[in-house]
Amino acid sequence: MVMPAVVHIKINFNAASEYGATGSTVIISPDGFIATNNHVIENASAIDVILHDKRNFSAKLIGRDPNTDLALLKIETNKLPVVKFGNSDKVQIGEWVLAVGFPLSLNTTVTAGIVSAKARSIG
């Protein structure tokens, strides 16, 4: 259900160099807003987004917050699939969880785990 809304991003830190970082992230609105981690895009000179269907877009950085490690990107397209938000307050310790990704251009990866703690302070 979520794979069409999981995307791959490539980050360039210097206009004259090749890509310096890559990662997975998710589309959060049909009009092209994408949530990612601040540490992934921090100091980026260019951000490219590769969709599940292999289309490639240049992304614009809309905003970022280093304190929460969140960033918001935008690509110019519409009618995109989105990830449905859940309520993390309802997650219980011991529940199984899945992490769906698109790392290193490996379309459709899934990792399983178990929630071991909640509300940790990672400083």
Side-chain angles (χ1 to χ4, degrees), residues 3 10 21 28 33-34 37 40 47-48 56 60 62 64 67 73 80 87-89 94 100 110 113:
M3 277 315 303
K10 292 183 178 181
I28 60 171
F33 283 97
I34 297 169
N37 295 107
V40 174
I47 304 168
D48 286 342
N56 194 330
K60 178 181 178 184
I62 301 300
R64 61 187 193 87
N67 291 330
L73 307 175
L80 293 170
N87 183 343
S88 62
D89 291 335
V100 179
V110 179

Side-chain angles (χ1 to χ4, degrees), residues 3 5 14 21 32 49 51 63 65 68 79-80 84 92 100 103 115 121 123:
M3 277 315 303
N14 178 340
V49 174
L51 303 184
D65 181 21
T68 58
K79 297 183 181 178
L80 293 170
K84 181 180 174 185
Q92 298 295 314
V100 179
V115 176
S121 175

Side-chain angles (χ1 to χ4, degrees), residues 65-85:
D65 181 21
N67 291 330
T68 58
D69 194 28
L70 291 174
L72 184 65
L73 307 175
K74 174 78 168 79
I75 59 175
E76 294 303 321
T77 191
N78 55 32
K79 297 183 181 178
L80 293 170
V82 297
V83 170
K84 181 180 174 185
F85 283 93

